[in-house]
Amino acid sequence: MNTPYRTRVSLVLLMGLLFAACTSSPPPQQPPNIVFIMSDDHAYQAISAYSDKLIETPNIDRIAQQGMLFTNASVTNSICAPSRATILTGKHTHLNGKVDNHFAFDDSNITFPQILQANGYQTAMFGKLHFGNNPKGFDEFKILPGQGAYWNPDFITKHQGKIKVEGYATDIITDFTLDWLANDRKEEQPFLLMYLHKAPHRAWYMADRHYDEFLNRKFEEPETLFEDYKTMGKAAAEAEMNILHHMGWSGDNKLSPETLDELSINEIGPDIVRYNGMLRRFTPAQRQAFEKAYRPIHESFKAAYPQMDDKDKMHWKYQRYMQDYLGTIKAVDENVGKVLDYLEANNLMDNTIIVYTSDQGFYLGEHGWFDKRFAYNESFKTPLLVAWKDRVQPGTVSDALVQNLDFAQTFLDAANINAPEAMQGESLLPLLTQQGNWSRESVYYHYYEYPAEHMVNRHYAIVTKDYKLIHYYFATNEWVLIDRRNDPLEQNNFYNDSSYAQVKADLHQKLKALRLKYKDSDELSNQYIDQFLSSAVSGKVYGLSKERAREILLQRQAARANN
Ligand code: SGN
Ligand code: CA
């Protein structure tokens, strides 16, 4: 049974008085515990601490109420494994080598968990890593293989080999976490706990307890759902992540292949494969609950479909997308609540840094999109909430330009450990504690995974509070200038507008300096293109055929020979 709150308080007071009586100097500051909570593809638009338009997330919000909410946190490369590599190494992806999801992480990189472990921390990781190899520097881990599954997932474990656990991934990852806290955590050591959800990643399967609540909801549409990309530029128009055109009726929106057959809707292969793959993972009872819950959706769709035009289809797909996506977040929020409750009930809030973030942001219909990858706000930015009792003032907000690049140095700084020279971020402690200097005026961004799924061109960018200057290279040579203050929906490219000539020149100069500072170059970009295409030629890249890869490779060789 828990000690009643008042008794606990007086016990603490009594011990404090006894301690004060025995010593005149303050107790040495113990290195803080770190609870790093990260979800996969969790848009800040879907956290009520940022906006309650779509969903209430009372538990995640607790972290902001007890600490600081960052409104300008971003990633250096908006895709899963590269973001994780940046978080762990404190280096941009062009230097840690993990520029896309395709190649295994180079584990000769030194990561902050390895350093914390070597300095006396107990370390554990549960959930999604997506590295293609196991994490170094962890006393314990149970990670999903690759993307992992929502239902009855497999796990790669440090001590039990590969296991399959029945149930829903978000709940299971939390059970592992709570079990470790209760049974394996060593009181005499500070700890680093990485609690990493798979949700709300595509293809958005919610826990069955949330079917009733979410399958009947209707959500407000974003202003730019019907974006025509005309003023955004070529790269935006070329991307394949439009809800109407690229979201699958079955694989994403969960209409059964039979329903599609009846309506003579020709769904492309991968979507049906994805849908059937998920059905196969369900136990009979889970499958029955799923099919029962979604049946009314199929029936009403069948009745409506013959009259639907493209606009109606977009409205319909957006609602279906939001129901499933937000449904998965409900379980994340409940489970985060369980972990916070545990920390509170076990006096672990006192010296623990609690972080909630995502590996990147996500489009929830803005510009008509789902997915991420672009330097536009919804995927470039990422949620960031940080609590640390007595160090971070509750209920504070920071609009500083911080990045996932900064986590490693922040945690090392908090543990009073010098960060290796090679790390490129900055400790967030001055911002968190509101003591010390913070002077960053711009951040650097570089996305690589192209040509591949979703077809988002390679690009690098400088981002300040007022502007973004983006360069798409390789398949195109396009510059985009965004005016963040006057065009917050980021629908226009002012690059060729003469009234921006001075701004443009200034940003070009700053971008050049930033690339030098972070040691990025065209030469490196070219190396990554060649590496990617060579691997695609041998059939190893998802979303790019061998034939197409060979064609592009030959074109590049010809262009070089001509130069
Ligand atoms: C899968 C998804 C993509 C998604 C990538 C990367 N397709 O390939 O939509 O962009 O993961 O996501 S799916 O058909 O498998 O659902 S990431 O978060 O891991 O980077
Ligand atoms: Ca992700």
Side-chain angles (χ1 to χ4, degrees):
M1 226 178 74
N2 287 338
T3 325
Y5 178 67
R6 212 171 308 150
T7 323
R8 255 188 289 140
V9 172
S10 32
L11 267 177
V12 171
L13 269 178
L14 185 69
M15 281 163 60
L17 287 174
L18 280 176
F19 190 82
C22 303
T23 171
S24 53
S25 57
Q29 182 72 38
Q30 288 294 320
N33 304 310
I34 299 161
V35 177
F36 184 82
I37 313 173
M38 186 161 76
S39 302
D40 191 2
D41 294 358
H42 194 168
Y44 59 84
Q45 311 91 290
I47 294 180
S48 44
Y50 287 93
S51 161
D52 58 5
K53 227 163 85 176
L54 293 171
I55 189 171
E56 292 292 336
T57 50
N59 292 299
I60 296 170
D61 293 4
R62 278 159 70 181
I63 302 172
Q65 282 148 14
Q66 293 169 24
M68 190 172 272
L69 178 81
F70 288 86
T71 57
N72 252 325
S74 63
V75 294
T76 65
N77 181 353
S78 180
I79 187 148
C80 185
S83 168
R84 290 156 203 266
T86 291
I87 290 169
L88 292 179
T89 62
K91 292 193 281 189
H92 273 275
T93 56
H94 59 269
L95 292 192
N96 67 42
K98 189 86 184 96
V99 297
D100 57 41
N101 275 342
H102 294 290
F103 301 97
F105 173 67
D106 169 4
D107 66 4
S108 68
N109 279 292
I110 302 294
T111 64
F112 83 81
Q114 285 172 293
I115 302 174
L116 288 182
Q117 189 187 44
N119 281 273
Y121 269 71
Q122 190 188 4
T123 55
M125 176 188 280
F126 302 107
K128 183 175 171 184
L129 177 63
H130 199 194
F131 263 8
N133 47 28
N134 293 341
K136 281 187 170 173
F138 286 89
D139 301 318
E140 170 67 318
F141 63 77
K142 291 185 171 126
I143 57 168
L144 295 160
Q147 294 283 6
Y150 272 105
W151 285 96
N152 311 323
D154 297 316
F155 287 89
I156 299 162
T157 72
K158 175 138 183 175
H159 301 293
Q160 299 154 265
K162 195 171 169 190
I163 56 171
K164 181 172 181 170
V165 186
E166 191 174 313
Y168 184 65
T170 307
D171 300 337
I172 297 166
I173 293 165
T174 308
D175 291 345
F176 288 158
T177 300
L178 291 172
D179 182 59
W180 182 85
L181 280 169
N183 300 314
D184 292 329
R185 188 178 64 84
K186 300 194 178 112
E187 299 220 342
E188 63 282 10
Q189 278 178 276
F191 68 84
L192 162 71
L193 172 60
M194 299 193 84
Y195 166 47
L196 311 172
H197 285 295
K198 172 198 169 49
H201 191 274
R202 196 180 183 191
W204 317 300
Y205 282 83
M206 72 184 89
D208 45 11
R209 62 183 177 277
H210 297 133
Y211 289 151
D212 280 351
E213 185 183 345
F214 281 85
L215 294 182
N216 295 307
R217 276 220 200 150
K218 206 165 179 312
F219 298 93
E220 193 180 324
E221 291 175 353
E223 261 180 77
T224 55
L225 183 63
F226 289 91
E227 177 76 74
D228 63 11
Y229 310 107
K230 285 197 179 114
T231 51
M232 286 181 74
K234 261 173 65 184
E238 192 201 330
E240 295 178 359
M241 42 196 248
N242 180 276
I243 293 174
L244 174 64
H245 300 295
H246 307 108
M247 188 172 263
W249 291 111
S250 59
D252 294 313
N253 290 154
K254 304 181 185 65
L255 291 173
S256 65
E258 297 75 38
T259 302
L260 298 185
D261 273 352
E262 272 181 55
L263 297 169
S264 306
I265 297 178
N266 238 340
E267 185 77 294
I268 53 158
D271 282 305
I272 304 281
V273 170
R274 186 146 22 93
Y275 181 87
N276 287 334
M278 199 61 231
L279 284 192
R280 271 198 300 278
R281 289 205 76 89
F282 283 133
T283 63
Q286 290 163 353
R287 179 166 174 167
Q288 208 185 6
F290 171 78
E291 288 179 335
K292 182 165 173 261
Y294 282 77
R295 195 165 305 130
I297 293 175
H298 298 199
E299 295 312 320
S300 67
F301 181 75
K302 277 193 237 173
Y305 184 71
Q307 289 83 43
M308 281 167 97
D309 61 14
D310 274 0
K311 226 173 151 198
D312 300 325
K313 287 177 193 163
M314 182 59 138
H315 290 305
W316 187 88
K317 283 189 155 188
Y318 172 76
Q319 293 301 331
R320 278 284 37 260
Y321 168 34
M322 282 303 94
Q323 290 170 349
D324 293 342
Y325 177 89
L326 296 167
T328 71
I329 287 172
K330 179 76 181 181
V332 172
D333 188 65
E334 288 171 353
N335 279 289
V336 166
K338 281 195 219 164
V339 171
L340 296 179
D341 288 347
Y342 182 93
L343 297 174
E344 271 166 19
N346 291 278
N347 290 331
L348 282 170
M349 283 294 193
D350 287 350
N351 194 23
T352 300
I353 303 177
I354 301 167
V355 172
Y356 187 90
T357 190
S358 171
D359 62 344
Q360 11 66 210
F362 212 68
Y363 295 96
L364 305 183
E366 298 86 2
H367 304 292
W369 285 332
F370 64 105
D371 214 67
K372 51 246 177 185
R373 301 162 193 263
F374 276 110
Y376 295 108
N377 277 340
E378 292 76 11
S379 57
F380 163 73
K381 293 216 276 189
T382 195
L384 178 59
L385 299 75
V386 185
W388 188 5
K389 197 161 168 259
D390 297 332
R391 300 294 299 275
V392 181
Q393 178 123 24
T396 41
V397 177
S398 168
D399 70 349
L401 295 167
V402 303
Q403 288 200 293
N404 58 349
L405 183 68
D406 301 319
F407 285 127
Q409 274 149 282
T410 303
F411 298 143
L412 293 175
D413 190 13
N416 214 5
I417 300 167
N418 287 333
E421 278 286 303
M423 287 190 176
Q424 299 181 297
E426 278 176 61
S427 166
L428 301 180
L429 254 51
L431 291 169
L432 289 168
T433 60
Q434 299 177 4
Q435 282 166 13
N437 292 326
W438 179 269
S439 57
R440 186 186 283 159
E441 285 179 358
S442 61
V443 293
Y444 183 60
Y445 182 83
H446 197 156
Y447 169 81
Y448 295 81
E449 196 173 285
Y450 178 95
E453 207 185 5
H454 300 299
M455 294 300 279
V456 174
N457 258 283
R458 290 172 188 245
H459 55 290
Y460 57 84
I462 178 175
V463 179
T464 68
K465 280 189 181 164
D466 293 337
Y467 301 102
K468 291 180 183 173
L469 178 65
I470 307 171
H471 185 212
Y472 295 95
Y473 63 95
F474 174 35
T476 168
N477 178 16
E478 183 183 30
W479 287 92
V480 170
L481 174 59
I482 291 168
D483 183 338
R484 303 185 77 185
R485 301 260 186 227
N486 296 310
D487 178 26
L489 298 180
E490 307 186 312
Q491 291 189 286
N492 299 290
N493 176 9
F494 294 103
Y495 191 76
N496 292 319
D497 182 327
S498 57
S499 59
Y500 285 84
Q502 190 51 50
V503 169
K504 187 164 100 178
D506 184 44
L507 285 169
H508 267 295
Q509 192 216 328
K510 286 185 171 143
L511 174 60
K512 203 170 162 195
L514 214 49
R515 276 164 67 81
L516 267 179
K517 170 178 166 185
Y518 288 126
K519 304 188 171 70
D520 199 7
S521 63
D522 289 347
E523 200 186 336
L524 265 179
S525 300
N526 280 323
Q527 280 174 24
Y528 283 121
I529 293 171
D530 288 340
Q531 182 192 27
F532 187 80
L533 290 173
S534 312
S535 168
V537 166
S538 49
K540 290 201 189 114
V541 167
Y542 180 53
L544 175 63
S545 73
K546 290 183 195 182
E547 295 70 32
R548 180 81 185 105
R550 187 166 301 116
E551 201 182 306
I552 304 169
L553 207 58
L554 289 175
Q555 281 165 5
R556 283 172 63 77
Q557 280 161 3
R560 262 182 231 164
N562 284 340
N563 273 337

